[in-house]
């Protein structure tokens, strides 16, 4: 959607019809079928204990060995710190952790917003790839209840470049400014 995916990923080169085959296998078995792959294959993020003891596929293991862990670590940390600096002082928001301790590799950049009802849908409509912890346990912990709504999980992964981060920052700044002025 953002034009950032390479035309053909390495996995698609190795297994050109894998997604089509998996979808066909799932649909032919119905709802009571044994799941052929973890939910993460379709974008899910829930922990699935039944996949704990399943070994990584050989193509995944080969790709893992080829990738540079250090490059990923450095890029994520750089992207996180860039977002922290770019979004510092934006009214109606604050970085949950503006500093990034040595040795920490971030998953996302957590941005706390005061008015999530106006901000989150507007950013999603603009195509900003955000997440929230909407599935967090909200009945027993007031912090989780608050974060499930107010915390925006801004991507900072290693494949985002300066242009991507600048675009994300501009969108967040504009939406937060509009939300503030409409009060």
């Amino acid at each position: 959607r953002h034009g950032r995916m390479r035309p053909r990923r390495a996995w698609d080169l190795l297994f050109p019809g894998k997604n089509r085959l998996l979808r066909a296998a799932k649909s032919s078995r119905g709802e009571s079928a044994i799941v052929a792959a973890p939910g993460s294959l379709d974008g899910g993020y829930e922990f699935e204990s039944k996949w704990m003891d399943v070994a990584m596929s050989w193509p995944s293991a080969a790709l893992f060995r080829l990738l540079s862990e250090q490059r990923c670590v450095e890029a994520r940390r750089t992207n996180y710190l860039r977002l922290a600096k770019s979004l510092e002082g934006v009214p109606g928001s604050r970085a949950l952790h503006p500093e990034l301790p040595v040795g920490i590799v971030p998953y996302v950049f957590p941005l706390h917003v005061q008015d999530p009802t106006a901000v989150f849908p507007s950013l999603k409509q603009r195509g900003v790839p955000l997440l929230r912890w909407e599935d967090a346990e909200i009945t027993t912990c007031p912090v989780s209840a608050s974060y499930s709504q107010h915390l925006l999980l801004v991507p900072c992964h290693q494949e985002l470049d300066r242009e991507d981060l600048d675009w994300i920052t501009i969108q967040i700044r504009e939406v937060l400014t509009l939300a503030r002025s409409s009060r």
Side-chain angles (χ1 to χ4, degrees):
R1 182 172 168 193
H2 293 278
R4 293 281 299 141
M5 300 300 287
R6 294 182 179 100
R8 296 181 63 117
R9 293 172 142 175
W11 184 260
D12 292 332
L13 291 172
L14 293 171
F15 298 102
K18 102 176 148 57
N19 288 338
R20 193 170 39 255
L21 288 172
L22 285 172
R23 277 193 297 275
K26 287 179 185 179
S27 66
S28 70
R29 293 180 184 160
E31 289 188 8
S32 63
I34 297 171
V35 178
S40 60
L41 185 67
D42 294 323
Y45 55 86
E46 293 84 15
F47 176 73
E48 297 178 67
S49 60
K50 65 185 170 198
W51 292 98
M52 279 286 296
D53 297 320
V54 176
M56 185 185 301
S57 68
W58 69 264
S60 294
L63 286 173
F64 187 74
R65 283 191 295 277
L66 291 172
L67 298 175
S68 168
E69 180 181 350
Q70 190 58 37
R71 182 192 77 81
C72 292
V73 167
E74 289 172 8
R76 282 178 175 265
R77 288 184 55 82
T78 298
N79 290 347
Y80 184 101
L81 294 170
R82 182 176 184 80
L83 286 166
K85 184 173 182 171
S86 299
L87 294 170
E88 185 178 19
V90 175
S93 72
R94 64 176 173 82
L96 188 63
H97 298 286
E99 303 295 323
L100 190 59
V102 174
I104 299 299
V105 182
Y107 164 59
V108 292
F109 177 78
L111 183 69
H112 191 280
V113 296
Q114 289 174 355
D115 189 4
T117 308
V119 172
F120 185 71
S122 296
L123 288 168
K124 292 301 277 186
Q125 285 176 338
R126 289 175 177 228
V128 179
L130 300 172
L131 297 172
R132 288 195 304 191
W133 284 325
E134 293 171 328
D135 295 335
E137 175 55 54
I138 61 172
T139 58
T140 58
C141 178
V143 174
S144 293
S146 175
Y147 283 0
S148 73
Q149 296 302 306
H150 291 270
L151 205 57
L152 304 183
L153 307 178
V154 183
C156 66
H157 63 78
Q158 64 276 3
E159 297 308 318
L160 294 172
D161 59 25
R162 182 178 295 236
E163 185 178 302
D164 297 326
L165 294 171
D166 288 347
W167 181 82
I168 288 170
T169 300
I170 289 167
Q171 301 309 309
I172 292 172
R173 283 182 167 276
E174 285 179 1
V175 167
L176 284 166
T177 301
L178 286 170
R180 194 133 181 107
S181 66
S182 67
R183 281 199 230 174

